[in-house]
């Protein structure tokens, strides 16, 4: 019997894509095959914005993602420096592709999100977690550092908390993850996780897809930038472009005519 596919993709007629990390017997931990499959899936979705407007990411079984597979990390200990760089770049590239997807991305998190699993959470636009979910940046306990996930985690929780949690590998729950900004919503049960996911997806479908992509880029470009005349001039050009765009014209016309815009029909 062949091994099951490590990543499943289901696209509904309603333009929702659900990505499932499908290694429940390994707590959905990463190995090279899983990383490559996720990377290929993100490439596919990025090329199909007309067919997919919202992306959900979840884990099969009772765990979101336990981080790196121990056998994969054991094999990496035998790699040359060049092989290790190539291997790490595959993980870094996969996270980069997730972070830069033009669609609204939603992480549905339960059980545990350890190490790289927490990196996936940080790379998504919205994260929803069951309250008893366990989080940990555990790399230093193995003599490693959370290098490839660090840009996304630091953006999500800030340098002070990132330094504390990276250096101590302290575990925390979903309520704490919410407090520091790693997740936006906390729910009591797995059923409520699905309900909240549907709620956020519905919000995404109520917005123009091109505007969502531009809004995501806007945040990346503005974050940490000095508020000066140059920035404000650039932002004025962006909103002028949006007003003149097909979506902008449709949205404003629909509002004035008291009807739903085309992307909600």
């Amino acid at each position: 019997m062949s091994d099951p596919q490590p990543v499943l993709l289901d696209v509904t007629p309603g333009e929702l894509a659900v990505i499932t990390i499908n290694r429940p017997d390994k707590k959905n931990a990463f190995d090279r095959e899983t990383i490559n499959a996720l990377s290929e899936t993100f490439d596919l979705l990025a090329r199909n914005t007309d067919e997919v407007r919202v992306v959900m990411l979840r884990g099969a079984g009772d765990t979101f993602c336990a981080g790196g597979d121990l056998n994969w990390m054991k094999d990496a200990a035998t790699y040359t420096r060049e092989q290790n760089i190539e291997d790490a770049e595959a993980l870094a590239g996969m996270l980069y592709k997730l972070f830069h997807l033009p669609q609204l991305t939603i992480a549905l998190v339960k059980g545990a999100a350890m190490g790289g699993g927490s990196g996936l959470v940080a790379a998504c636009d919205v994260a929803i977690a069951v309250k008893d979910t366990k989080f940990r940046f555990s790399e230093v306990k193995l003599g490693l550092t959370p290098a490839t996930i660090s840009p996304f985690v630091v953006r999500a929780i800030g340098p002070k908390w990132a330094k504390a949690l990276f250096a101590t590998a302290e575990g925390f729950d979903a309520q704490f993850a919410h407090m520091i900004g790693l997740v936006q919503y906390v729910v009591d049960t797995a059923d409520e996780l699905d309900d909240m996911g549907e709620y956020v997806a519905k919000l995404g479908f109520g917005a123009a897809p091109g505007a969502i992509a531009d809004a995501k880029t806007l945040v990346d470009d503005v974050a940490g930038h000095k508020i000066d005349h140059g920035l404000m001039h650039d932002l004025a050009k962006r909103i002028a472009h949006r007003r003149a765009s097909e979506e902008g014209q449709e949205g404003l016309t629909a509002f004035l005519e008291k009807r739903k815009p085309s992307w909600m029909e």
Side-chain angles (χ1 to χ4, degrees), residues 2-257:
S2 60
D3 292 334
Q5 293 181 321
V7 174
L8 304 177
L9 173 63
D10 179 37
V11 180
T12 73
E15 301 176 318
L16 169 67
V18 180
I19 303 168
T20 304
I21 306 173
N22 188 39
R23 304 185 75 216
D25 56 324
K26 299 291 186 181
K27 302 295 183 184
N28 300 316
F30 292 141
D31 61 5
R32 186 61 182 267
E33 184 181 6
T34 306
I35 291 168
N36 288 343
L38 283 169
S39 190
E40 290 169 4
T41 301
F42 298 148
D43 282 339
L44 177 64
L45 294 175
R47 293 194 302 267
N48 288 277
T49 54
D50 290 340
E51 289 77 28
V52 174
R53 292 172 54 191
V54 177
V55 177
M56 288 184 179
L57 178 64
R58 66 190 316 154
D62 60 4
T63 300
F64 178 71
C65 177
D69 182 279
L70 292 177
N71 289 326
W72 172 56
M73 291 192 287
K74 182 180 179 181
D75 290 342
T78 68
Y79 291 172
T80 65
R81 175 178 172 80
E82 289 72 23
Q83 288 173 322
N84 258 308
I85 291 174
E86 180 183 355
D87 198 59
E89 283 184 339
L91 175 57
M94 179 270 287
L95 291 167
Y96 180 90
K97 290 175 183 180
L98 171 59
F99 183 78
H100 286 286
L101 278 178
Q103 298 95 338
L104 177 68
T105 57
I106 307 167
L108 302 180
V109 190
K110 62 180 180 179
M114 302 295 187
S118 290
L120 286 173
V121 174
C124 286
D125 302 322
V126 180
I128 309 164
V130 178
K131 65 180 181 181
D132 60 359
T133 303
K134 302 296 188 295
F135 296 83
R136 187 190 299 272
F137 303 106
S138 50
E139 287 83 355
V140 293
K141 295 174 73 69
L142 302 173
L144 307 174
T145 62
T148 51
I149 68 172
S150 62
F152 314 103
V153 176
V154 173
R155 277 176 175 261
I157 70 176
K160 188 71 172 180
W161 270 120
K163 188 175 291 186
L165 295 172
F166 285 1
T168 64
E170 179 185 9
F172 52 98
D173 63 12
Q175 292 287 1
F176 191 88
H178 177 264
M179 183 190 76
I180 62 177
L182 185 60
V183 304
Q184 283 81 15
Y185 302 98
V186 178
V187 297
D188 290 332
T189 67
D191 287 340
E192 291 179 11
L193 182 67
D194 290 333
D195 291 343
M196 182 59 77
E198 291 178 10
Y199 166 75
V200 176
K202 186 176 180 180
L203 294 177
F205 287 123
I212 287 179
D214 282 356
K216 290 173 60 166
T217 301
L218 175 67
V219 174
D220 294 338
D221 292 347
V222 170
H225 197 291
K226 181 181 178 182
I227 301 176
D228 56 19
H229 291 296
L231 175 64
M232 300 314 295
H233 179 65
D234 174 68
L235 299 179
K237 289 194 295 184
R238 293 185 191 218
I239 189 59
H241 170 73
R242 270 278 128 202
R243 286 173 179 169
S245 70
E246 218 175 280
E247 286 184 347
Q249 291 291 305
E250 167 63 10
L252 292 170
T253 301
F255 177 78
L256 293 172
E257 295 177 353

